[in-house]
Amino acid sequence: MNVQAIGYPTIVYLHLLLFVLWLGADVGVFILGQHFRKRQVYSLDQRLALLKLLVIVDLVPRAAWALMVPMSLTVLAAGAWWDVPAPLLVASWAAAALWLWLILDTHKHEGTERAARNRRNETFLKLLLTAFYLWLGVQSLLTGAPLAPLWLALKALAFALIFLAAIMIDAMFRPVGGQLGRLIAEGSSDATELPLRRTMDRTRIWVWVVYALLLVTSYLGSVKPF
């Protein structure tokens, strides 16, 4: 077996696998959320069970997203698309490890001040990564470096926009905790259901934006049209 010959294709395969896990599991989260909204079909206890399952399934796309950051840079380096500085590559894997820890620790300590602090730190990390990919995309579009192909520069820019849209999902979803607590405490009624429904509707707009951008990035990476 020629390890060197299969090295880059294997890295690309892992990159694609992360995309499948990200989008596929996120669609599962979306479907569970849609069923949670059906108050005429399910009892409140059934809907809360769906919500617990949603939270668990949501760990998959979050983890895939975190790993996509170092994997994308690894693909660039292994494919000679960009001579990625070694310290940047190492830092990207360290950032992914930190991000994964924040995701899992937040899940373990949900509802505590520790989880809230983790979310603030995660948002800060996302903002840093957003700035990096915005720079990478815009700089490459304007100067042709460090990413020379137009499709690759556009892909980096689209990835930055995914970060922005995902940050908006978290921001729009923030009132759900209190609204859900009221629903559990007071039971299902228009007074408890409608505010929660409006929050979920506003959040869903940004979910669709993320899906669209994921399709754009996958198209650019697969077809390389420019």
Side-chain angles (χ1 to χ4, degrees), residues 156-174:
L157 185 58
F159 196 38
L161 295 178
I162 288 174
F163 272 89
L164 290 174
I167 289 170
M168 288 303 301
I169 290 174
D170 289 340
M172 293 293 102
F173 202 70
R174 196 166 293 132

Side-chain angles (χ1 to χ4, degrees), residues 4-25:
Q4 188 173 5
I6 67 171
Y8 178 65
T10 300
I11 292 171
V12 171
Y13 165 76
L14 293 173
H15 180 68
L16 292 173
L17 182 60
L18 286 177
F19 170 78
V20 171
L21 290 172
W22 184 354
L23 184 57

Side-chain angles (χ1 to χ4, degrees), residues 164-166 168-169 172 202-211:
L164 290 174
M168 288 303 301
I169 290 174
M172 293 293 102
R202 287 194 294 268
T203 304
R204 189 166 56 168
I205 295 171
W206 292 102
V207 172
W208 284 114
V209 171
V210 169
Y211 290 168

Side-chain angles (χ1 to χ4, degrees), residues 74 133 217:
T74 302
Y133 280 101
T217 58

Side-chain angles (χ1 to χ4, degrees), residues 9-222:
T10 300
I11 292 171
V12 171
Y13 165 76
L14 293 173
H15 180 68
L16 292 173
L17 182 60
L18 286 177
F19 170 78
V20 171
L21 290 172
W22 184 354
L23 184 57
D26 210 82
V27 170
V29 171
F30 182 83
I31 291 172
L32 288 168
Q34 289 298 101
H35 281 275
F36 172 80
R37 295 153 59 95
K38 297 179 179 180
R39 53 190 286 208
Q40 293 83 11
V41 177
Y42 301 105
S43 68
L44 181 55
D45 285 343
Q46 289 173 324
R47 293 166 63 208
L48 292 176
L50 287 171
L51 197 61
K52 289 179 181 178
L53 183 59
L54 181 154
V55 171
I56 294 171
V57 175
D58 192 44
L59 293 174
V60 176
R62 288 180 178 274
W65 181 18
L67 290 170
M68 190 66 85
V69 171
M71 187 57 69
S72 66
L73 294 180
T74 302
V75 169
L76 291 175
W81 298 104
W82 175 25
D83 186 16
V84 182
L88 177 59
L89 199 56
V90 172
S92 71
W93 283 101
L98 173 60
W99 193 351
L100 283 173
W101 181 85
L102 288 171
I103 291 168
L104 296 175
D105 195 64
T106 298
H107 177 72
K108 182 178 179 181
H109 298 281
E110 189 61 62
T112 67
E113 175 55 33
R114 177 169 175 164
R117 183 176 65 251
N118 284 345
R119 285 196 175 92
R120 290 193 295 270
N121 291 333
E122 186 180 350
T123 298
F124 179 71
L125 179 59
K126 288 176 183 175
L127 288 171
L128 288 178
L129 291 169
T130 302
F132 167 72
Y133 280 101
L134 278 174
W135 167 82
L136 183 60
V138 172
Q139 174 75 7
S140 299
L141 285 174
L142 293 177
T143 66
L147 305 178
L150 177 57
W151 65 267
L152 195 51
L154 290 172
K155 186 177 179 182
L157 185 58
F159 196 38
L161 295 178
I162 288 174
F163 272 89
L164 290 174
I167 289 170
M168 288 303 301
I169 290 174
D170 289 340
M172 293 293 102
F173 202 70
R174 196 166 293 132
V176 163
Q179 293 167 344
L180 186 60
R182 185 184 174 197
L183 173 63
I184 295 171
E186 301 178 15
S188 179
S189 67
D190 285 349
T192 57
E193 295 276 5
L194 293 182
L196 180 59
R197 178 67 177 261
R198 283 193 293 268
T199 298
M200 295 182 75
D201 286 343
R202 287 194 294 268
T203 304
R204 189 166 56 168
I205 295 171
W206 292 102
V207 172
W208 284 114
V209 171
V210 169
Y211 290 168
L213 288 168
L214 280 171
L215 293 176
V216 168
T217 58
S218 62
Y219 177 82
L220 289 171
S222 300

